[in-house]
Amino acid sequence: MPACTHLDHVLITELPEEIAGCEDCLAAGGVWLHLRICLECGHVGCCDDSPGRHATAHATGTEHPIMRSVEPGEDWSFCFVDQTAFLIPAVTGEPRIPPSPMLG
């Protein structure tokens, strides 16, 4: 199993209490399915099943490697460079998020 070699990029360890949605979709009037937060800068983007794929775009454009799911009940993270999913117990919190506009 591959390991993430970018844990030194994890600067966000306390998730916000509330998230309004995908920052890029909200700015452009788009829709998202699932939300991810960058653990380096806190940018919130949408998953690859969303039309904008903003989490991946953020990771690629900024070279911030690790995103974490902020969906209710999910606590996994993903390193885009090492292409591996894993848990980071030091990251805590469960933000309130709005329902997906794609499911409504």
Side-chain angles (χ1 to χ4, degrees), residues 1-2 8 18 21 27 65 71 77 79 81 97 100:
M1 170 185 269
D8 58 323
E18 188 168 3
E71 292 296 312
S77 296
C79 178
V81 177
I97 63 170
S100 165

Side-chain angles (χ1 to χ4, degrees), residues 5 8 13 25 40 45 50 54 58-59 61 96:
T5 58
D8 58 323
T13 57
C25 288
E40 188 159 343
S50 303
H54 292 122
H58 176 79
R96 289 183 305 279

